[in-house]
Amino acid sequence: MAESPLLPYAFFEGKVVPIAEATVSIATHALQYGTGCFAGVRGYLDNDGSTINIFRLPDHMRRLVQSGLIIRADVPYAPDDIGAIIVDLVKKNAPKQNIYIRPFLYKAGLELTPKLAGIPAQLAIYMMPLGDYLDLSHPIRLGVSSWQRIEDDIIPSRAKVTGGYINSCLAKDEAAEGGYDDAIMLNREGKVAEASGANLFIVRNGALITAPITADILEGITRRSLVEFARNAGVTVEERAIDRSELYIAEEVFLCGTGVQIAAVGSIDGRQIGNGQRGPVTQMLQETFFSLVHGEESQYRKYITSIAIG
Ligand code: PMP
């Protein structure tokens, strides 16, 4: 059997088990109807290799439980309980590289009816090694997708609902087949929403601009953090609707999210952004973020959960 790409232990049905034992029936409601919600959390190996640092773990857990409320996936765990299970699981897996942590609240019943009420839910957590998800060494190329971002009254866009990610998958495939690294999705109003799995910022006249949380975006934790970092560094930040044509004339554009981290954008729909290179605001935010998660001294240290690994 091929070696699992996952770390050896998972949390499944209330306890820690070897990853091979964390399996579900093919009739599972979440598998059939996409009735799950998840978090995506990175663990960064500290510069000295002795700790795993997690950025804003309590915030990720709060959003997970809130996503669960939206899809009525009730589990007997408060956000801090799930955070504590993750800390223990990281210690048990004792990774020696950067990791990605995937907590998953899902409808575990075998009912046939596509509904939410009364179907029991479970919590599962697994982990895997993960380096950079997009190549951050050069600015990426984006294209505006023909797939529109799901609207909140179609599939709640601020919840990380598994079924909703079909929307991201369609856009990501189209982007790849068009020769782009990722897609920018517009919402039904034709305003810029976000990328397939990341929020988007532009810089115009020196001000940092991002879509508001009512633009059918996921309320990104990295997004919220970068707004704070930028304001504290004296950069003007605006949360407002962004037109497609503003993308083409921005001085800088970047994506941000747990998976993507902070990725400078070099072109959109074939038009070069700024001088095509990473801009100064993007660079400042990247440096603030990466030094923090790798354990360097920072005023944002409060956002890091450090887990000693033996
Ligand atoms: N938008 C989407 C659709 C995402 O999947 C993600 C990744 N979770 C983000 C934005 C970024 O969110 P965060 O910064 O909380 O990872």
Side-chain angles (χ1 to χ4, degrees):
M1 208 168 78
E3 208 180 315
S4 170
L6 309 178
L7 293 181
Y9 295 101
F11 183 85
F12 182 67
E13 297 186 342
K15 55 182 194 296
V16 174
V17 298
I19 187 72
E21 291 174 23
T23 55
V24 297
S25 161
I26 56 168
T28 302
H29 201 272
L31 187 58
Q32 295 294 330
Y33 299 118
T35 48
C37 55
F38 62 98
V41 186
R42 270 183 186 267
Y44 290 91
L45 198 62
D46 201 277
N47 280 341
D48 68 9
S50 66
T51 55
I52 287 284
N53 292 329
I54 300 181
F55 182 58
R56 303 193 76 160
L57 179 62
D59 298 277
H60 278 281
M61 297 306 101
R62 200 169 309 124
R63 187 176 63 193
L64 174 67
V65 169
Q66 286 178 348
S67 294
L69 278 175
I70 291 172
I71 67 157
R72 306 175 102 168
D74 310 314
V75 287
Y77 304 103
D80 285 350
D81 300 332
I82 308 177
I85 294 170
I86 288 177
V87 169
D88 287 346
L89 197 60
V90 168
K91 285 186 188 151
K92 177 100 177 152
N93 278 315
K96 291 284 179 277
Q97 68 283 88
N98 292 341
I99 57 168
Y100 183 82
I101 304 163
R102 171 54 63 83
F104 183 40
L105 286 180
Y106 64 101
K107 291 289 193 180
L110 309 183
E111 285 86 340
L112 204 55
T113 314
K115 63 172 190 173
L116 296 171
I119 300 183
Q122 284 284 355
L123 167 69
I125 306 169
Y126 65 91
M127 305 179 177
M128 64 176 78
L130 188 71
D132 290 340
Y133 158 88
L134 285 178
D135 179 0
L136 300 184
S137 63
H138 66 89
I140 57 173
R141 296 188 306 161
L142 301 182
V144 173
S145 183
S146 70
W147 293 97
Q148 290 176 322
R149 170 77 181 158
I150 43 171
E151 270 187 304
D152 191 58
D153 64 349
I154 294 177
I155 296 178
S157 30
R158 66 170 44 68
K160 279 181 81 74
V161 176
T162 54
Y165 274 78
I166 277 290
N167 185 231
S168 298
C169 298
L170 290 164
K172 182 83 178 174
D173 273 17
E174 184 190 57
E177 279 149 30
Y180 298 119
D181 297 301
D182 202 352
I184 297 175
M185 301 174 80
L186 307 181
N187 60 25
R188 282 272 174 222
E189 287 179 11
K191 305 296 180 188
V192 173
E194 58 181 335
S196 68
N199 294 117
L200 181 143
F201 282 86
I202 67 174
V203 176
R204 286 196 67 192
N205 304 317
L208 189 59
I209 306 167
T210 194
I213 57 170
T214 47
D216 299 312
I217 62 168
L218 183 80
E219 295 182 19
I221 291 162
T222 318
R223 171 190 173 282
R224 193 189 320 153
S225 308
L226 298 189
V227 167
E228 181 184 345
F229 298 171
R231 285 204 172 116
N232 288 345
V235 177
T236 302
V237 182
E238 296 170 27
E239 296 184 46
R240 62 152 175 86
I242 298 174
D243 282 332
R244 178 176 186 164
S245 59
E246 290 190 274
L247 297 171
Y248 301 154
I249 57 172
E251 292 129 41
E252 299 180 41
V253 177
F254 61 87
L255 299 184
C256 74
T258 301
V260 161
Q261 306 174 108
I262 301 166
V265 175
S267 74
I268 297 175
D269 291 342
R271 288 140 175 103
Q272 181 174 296
I273 304 303
N275 64 5
Q277 301 304 313
R278 178 178 68 166
V281 178
T282 310
Q283 182 176 349
M284 182 273 288
L285 292 171
Q286 275 181 340
E287 286 168 2
T288 305
F289 178 78
F290 284 115
S291 64
L292 172 66
V293 296
H294 287 121
E296 284 166 35
E297 227 3 84
S298 161
Q299 62 177 304
Y300 304 112
R301 186 76 206 164
K302 61 179 186 227
Y303 288 146
I304 297 293
T305 302
S306 277
I307 306 165
I309 41 168

